[in-house]
Amino acid sequence: MLTPEALPLAREVEAFSQFLKIEKQLSERTLDAYRRDLRKLQEYAHTRNLQSLDTINHQEIRLLLAQQHRSGNGGKTLARWLSALRSFFRFAIKRGWLEANPADGLQAPKSPKKLPKTLDVDQAGQFVQLDGDDFISLRDGAMVELMYSSGLRLAELVSTNVQDIDLTGASIRVTGKGNKQRELPVGRFAVAAVKRYLGVRELHANATEPALFVSQRGNRISHRSVQARLEQISLRQGMGQPVHPHMLRHSFASHMLESSSDLRLVQELLGHANISTTQVYTHLDFQHLAKVYDSAHPRAQRRRQDDDTE
C-alpha cells in the first residue's frame, strides 16, 4: 500500500491540508474527511498514471465519479466528495497550478430518499426505562431520557454542561449546528432522571469538569461512548434492533408531530434552519395515519380481508 507521500499530487494535497488547517482553522475531524476524499483522487491518478494536476481533466473526474457510484457509494457521499474536490481544485487555481476546475458541472446521482427509522411510543417507553441505581445506570438513564425528551442531537447532549440545564424550570440550553443556541423544555421523567444522576455525578466527575455527562474517569463523555452505551442498552432492553442517538431524536420528532400536527413547532424544537428538513417527518406521520386507517376503516378492513382470500 502506497504511503500518502508516494501517491501522485502529494505536494499539492499537503499544501491544501495546511491551508485548511491554518487559514480555515478546520477541525482535525474535518481535515481527515478532506484527506480521505482526496486520497481517492490520488489513488485513481496512480492507477491511471496521472502524475500531475494538469493531466486530470473533466473526463477523468467523470470516470472516477462513475466508478465510485458503481462500487456502492450513495448520492450524499458522492456529493460531499465532489465538493471536496472542487475546493481543492479552486485552491490549485489560486496557486496557479490549474487554469480551470475539472470538477465543475458534475453532479452526484440522487439517492432515493430514506425515511429515518423511529421507535413507536411503546418502544420508546420500553427503551428509556432503565433499572439500577449505580453510577452507570443512573447516567445512562438520564442520557436516554433527556435525548428522547428534548430531541437532542448526539453532539448537543455531549456538549451540555451542568449549568445549561435548569431542573426547576424544566428547560435546557443547547448549542446546535452553526453554534446556534436554543432553549428546550425537558419532560418530567427526564427531570427526575437527571436529578437522580446528579446525586452521584459529583462522586465521579473531576473537580473542574463542567460537562453534565461524564465517563467513569470523570471527564466529558465521548460521542463514541454514548453510541456504545445505547447499543448495549438496546440489547438489554430487548429492542430487537440497535437504537442509535439519532433514532431517539427522530422518534421525538415523529411523536411530537403525531400529537401536535405543528410542523413549525417541531422545526423550532429540532433546531432546523430550513423547514424542508423537518418535512420528512410529515411522511412518517402519514405512515402512522395510514396504519391507523388500515386497521380502523371498515372498507380498508374489507379490502385486506379480500386480499387475503385471493
Side-chain angles (χ1 to χ4, degrees):
M1 185 177 180
L2 291 175
T3 63
E5 295 78 13
L7 287 168
L9 315 180
R11 176 179 65 88
E12 292 88 344
V13 170
E14 178 57 27
F16 180 57
S17 296
Q18 290 302 311
F19 165 75
L20 295 177
K21 181 178 182 178
I22 296 170
E23 296 194 35
K24 293 296 185 179
Q25 296 186 334
L26 299 185
S27 69
E28 195 61 36
R29 188 175 181 180
T30 304
L31 287 172
D32 285 341
Y34 271 102
R35 292 186 188 110
R36 284 193 302 272
D37 287 336
L38 292 174
R39 186 178 177 89
K40 292 176 183 177
L41 173 66
Q42 290 178 277
E43 290 172 346
Y44 174 80
H46 173 70
T47 62
R48 300 275 292 177
N49 198 28
L50 306 172
Q51 296 300 319
S52 61
L53 268 174
D54 57 9
T55 61
I56 299 175
N57 56 31
H58 183 83
Q59 182 61 24
E60 294 291 355
I61 301 299
R62 182 187 293 276
L63 287 172
L64 179 52
L65 176 64
Q67 184 184 100
Q68 290 196 73
H69 189 224
R70 286 195 302 271
S71 67
N73 286 315
K76 285 187 177 180
T77 299
L78 294 176
R80 189 206 66 219
W81 174 77
L82 279 173
S83 176
L85 259 60
R86 289 191 191 98
S87 297
F88 171 62
F89 291 137
R90 283 196 297 269
F91 172 80
I93 291 169
K94 288 182 180 178
R95 289 293 183 96
W97 300 337
L98 277 179
E99 293 185 0
N101 193 323
D104 278 350
L106 290 176
Q107 289 187 336
K110 290 186 178 180
S111 297
K113 184 174 286 188
K114 294 182 179 178
L115 295 179
K117 291 183 179 179
T118 63
L119 304 172
D120 63 31
V121 174
D122 291 338
Q123 288 174 323
Q126 175 185 339
F127 182 76
V128 300
Q129 288 181 355
L130 303 185
D131 296 325
D133 56 5
D134 58 289
F135 168 72
I136 295 295
S137 297
L138 292 174
R139 182 202 64 193
D140 290 355
M143 287 196 307
V144 297
E145 283 281 11
L146 193 56
M147 277 190 283
Y148 177 54
S149 166
S150 303
L152 303 186
R153 297 181 177 97
L154 173 58
E156 293 169 349
L157 177 87
V158 169
S159 64
T160 295
N161 294 328
V162 174
Q163 66 182 25
D164 294 330
I165 189 164
D166 177 5
L167 295 177
T168 303
S171 65
I172 184 171
R173 183 177 64 252
V174 299
T175 302
K177 291 184 177 180
N179 286 324
K180 292 182 179 178
Q181 289 194 337
R182 66 189 192 281
E183 190 162 339
L184 300 169
V186 179
R188 61 186 179 91
F189 288 104
V191 167
V194 173
K195 281 182 178 178
R196 290 193 297 271
Y197 161 66
L198 287 176
V200 297
R201 177 194 175 277
E202 62 184 17
L203 303 176
H204 294 81
N206 294 331
T208 58
E209 179 55 68
L212 176 59
F213 294 109
V214 298
S215 67
Q216 287 182 296
R217 295 182 178 180
N219 302 318
R220 186 182 300 273
I221 196 168
S222 69
H223 290 211
R224 182 68 196 106
S225 293
V226 175
Q227 291 167 333
R229 291 306 305 162
L230 262 63
E231 288 176 9
Q232 294 183 31
I233 293 169
S234 302
L235 292 173
R236 194 167 74 238
Q237 299 296 89
M239 301 307 298
Q241 62 177 325
V243 176
H244 50 78
H246 225 60
M247 191 182 292
L248 286 178
R249 177 172 159 87
H250 291 322
S251 301
F252 159 84
S254 179
H255 300 163
M256 285 296 300
L257 192 57
E258 286 175 13
S259 301
S260 69
S261 301
D262 191 333
L263 194 63
R264 289 287 180 184
L265 168 68
V266 176
Q267 178 193 8
E268 186 72 20
L269 291 171
L270 292 174
H272 287 162
N274 194 320
I275 199 167
S276 63
T277 310
T278 319
Q279 283 175 331
V280 66
Y281 297 105
T282 63
H283 299 295
L284 293 172
D285 191 37
F286 176 77
Q287 286 185 337
H288 170 73
L289 292 174
K291 187 181 293 185
V292 172
Y293 172 84
D294 282 342
S295 63
H297 195 286
R299 299 291 288 180
Q301 289 177 329
R302 174 63 60 85
R303 186 191 67 239
R304 188 171 64 248
Q305 290 168 358
D306 291 344
D307 289 344
D308 289 342
T309 59
E310 288 182 357

